[in-house]
Amino acid sequence: MRFNSVLISSFLLVSVGLTDCRRTGRRSRPYSGVEWLTNVRSRNSSNWAGAELGIDNGAFYSVIGTFTIPEISSPSSSGVSAWVGIDGDGAGGTCGDRVLQAGVTIYGDPVNGHIEYDAWYEWFPANAVGFEISNFFSVGDVIGLVVGAPVNSTYGLAMIENRTKKQAAIANLSSTYALCGQTAEWIVEASLEDDEPFPNFSPVTFTDVRAYTIGGQTYGPQNATIINITNGSEYLTSASVSEDSVTIEHV
Ligand SMILES: *[C@@H]1O[C@H](CO)[C@@H](O)[C@H](O)[C@H]1NC(C)=O
Ligand SMILES: *[C@@H]1O[C@H](CO)[C@@H](O)[C@H](O)[C@H]1NC(C)=O
Ligand SMILES: *[C@@H]1O[C@H](CO)[C@@H](O)[C@H](O)[C@H]1NC(C)=O
Ligand SMILES: *[C@@H]1O[C@H](CO)[C@@H](O)[C@H](O)[C@H]1NC(C)=O
Ligand SMILES: *[C@@H]1O[C@H](CO)[C@@H](O)[C@H](O)[C@H]1NC(C)=O
Ligand SMILES: *[C@@H]1O[C@H](CO)[C@@H](O)[C@H](O)[C@H]1NC(C)=O
Ligand SMILES: *[C@@H]1O[C@H](CO)[C@@H](O)[C@H](O)[C@H]1NC(C)=O
């Protein structure tokens, strides 16, 4: 589905957006074992910061969140992504590291000084795919994200919504890798090229944060595991949660 206002001429832009999707799909998988909804824990990661809710028997089928495109300043072409997702980080069992996620990657461009954006979804281990939108984002745009996939099913959806414009792009998804629905997460991810420095970004706050289970429960992030990005003993982010929001700040 395409934004209403997108013109024929933007087909070119769309395909540029698709082929230009620079996310590598690399991610850290530093632990295994599912976290529990009632345990507040924290952990460190080399590239994920945010909050992750866990449930042992597999029940999340949809995750939503809204965030505002942050400012970024990067001394390299590294970017940061803000996304919501289901599974993906050590869920174990039959699901391993598969993950369904949707979000936006923001790249700084130190040479030309402009900012680039990719809006994408990914059902890992398949590659990220660009949403069919014209890829014109601005700092300060309010972006809604939804991912959904029935537990143990190989179909789902990803949606990105421009809250300011009240328009959405929706992707119907299929995969050979069914999700287990064991974790729901709201993440800022560093898309670091080899040995590149961590970009600076203004705080990202996911609001209206919800995860839905097939049992009919709705969870906020309050009991989620909080994840900070660290580099050795150095904290690169600080994450925190409230009743219905997750905030990730650059340190
Ligand atoms: C998604 O798939 C459903 C079921 O096949 C179909 O009815 C719907 O039109 C599709 N939507 C898009 C946006 O492709
Ligand atoms: C968080 O966990 C506590 C302790 O088990 C529980 O009482 C509370 O309902 C949970 N809160 C949320 C928002 O899930
Ligand atoms: C969202 O809407 C605003 C206001 O119309 C516009 O400036 C911005 O480019 C839109 N963003 C996307 C991703 O379409
Ligand atoms: C998903 O599949 C696993 C393994 O077969 C099973 O244990 C679990 O109950 C299933 N969950 C749902 C919600 O169907
Ligand atoms: C991590 O720390 C090493 C050693 O201090 C440094 O060379 C590297 O640039 C740092 N990486 C990031 C992403 O900050
Ligand atoms: C995270 O990293 C910091 C800095 O190295 C360390 O002090 C802390 O114990 C780590 N936390 C966890 C949960 O591993
Ligand atoms: C890392 O996460 C914890 C949550 O356990 C948070 O309280 C702390 O402030 C974070 N660390 C830093 C250095 O901000």
Side-chain angles (χ1 to χ4, degrees):
M1 187 181 282
R2 198 171 293 277
F3 282 8
N4 295 336
S5 60
V6 172
L7 303 173
I8 300 295
S9 62
S10 65
F11 275 98
L12 181 59
L13 292 165
V14 168
S15 54
V16 168
L18 290 173
T19 52
D20 199 30
C21 209
R22 282 193 273 159
R23 291 187 73 258
T24 58
R26 271 181 291 151
R27 57 178 48 79
S28 69
R29 301 176 189 91
Y31 86 138
S32 62
V34 172
E35 305 291 299
W36 302 80
L37 282 167
T38 49
N39 285 3
V40 180
R41 298 185 191 174
S42 68
R43 65 183 179 87
N44 296 331
S45 161
S46 63
N47 63 345
W48 283 24
E52 182 177 56
L53 262 181
I55 197 163
D56 62 336
N57 54 358
F60 293 117
Y61 71 88
S62 185
V63 177
I64 68 172
T66 299
F67 76 103
T68 300
I69 301 274
E71 293 180 57
I72 176 173
S73 75
S74 180
S76 71
S77 57
S78 293
V80 292
S81 305
W83 55 266
V84 305
I86 299 173
D87 288 342
D89 211 2
T94 55
C95 285
D97 54 11
R98 32 186 98 154
V99 52
L100 173 58
Q101 49 186 175
V104 176
T105 303
I106 304 115
Y107 299 97
D109 179 349
V111 178
N112 298 305
H114 63 265
I115 307 285
E116 289 176 40
Y117 308 93
D118 279 330
W120 49 267
Y121 54 87
E122 182 175 355
W123 192 328
F124 189 83
N127 288 331
V129 179
F131 275 109
E132 294 197 4
I133 57 175
S134 55
N135 261 346
F136 289 144
F137 291 86
S138 310
V139 169
D141 280 359
V142 179
I143 302 296
L145 297 168
V146 179
V147 291
V151 174
N152 289 340
S153 297
T154 53
Y155 59 92
L157 67 82
M159 183 181 90
I160 188 164
E161 177 193 15
N162 186 337
R163 284 278 169 93
T164 319
K165 269 188 176 168
K166 302 207 184 327
Q167 290 179 335
I170 301 173
N172 268 351
L173 310 178
S174 64
S175 168
T176 48
Y177 306 97
L179 299 176
C180 292
Q182 286 178 305
T183 62
E185 59 268 348
W186 301 267
I187 299 292
V188 165
E189 178 173 354
S191 304
L192 298 176
E193 305 298 332
D194 293 336
D195 296 326
E196 284 188 344
F198 190 57
N200 200 350
F201 58 90
S202 58
V204 173
T205 297
F206 289 99
T207 56
D208 303 326
V209 162
R210 297 281 184 274
Y212 300 95
T213 69
I214 53 175
Q217 291 121 323
T218 302
Y219 291 96
Q222 224 161 16
N223 285 342
T225 294
I226 295 173
I227 309 170
N228 288 317
I229 298 177
T230 54
N231 180 28
S233 61
E234 188 188 7
Y235 280 99
L236 302 183
T237 67
S238 184
S240 58
V241 299
S242 76
E243 198 177 328
D244 65 356
S245 72
V246 176
T247 297
I248 301 100
E249 292 177 78
H250 184 277
V251 174

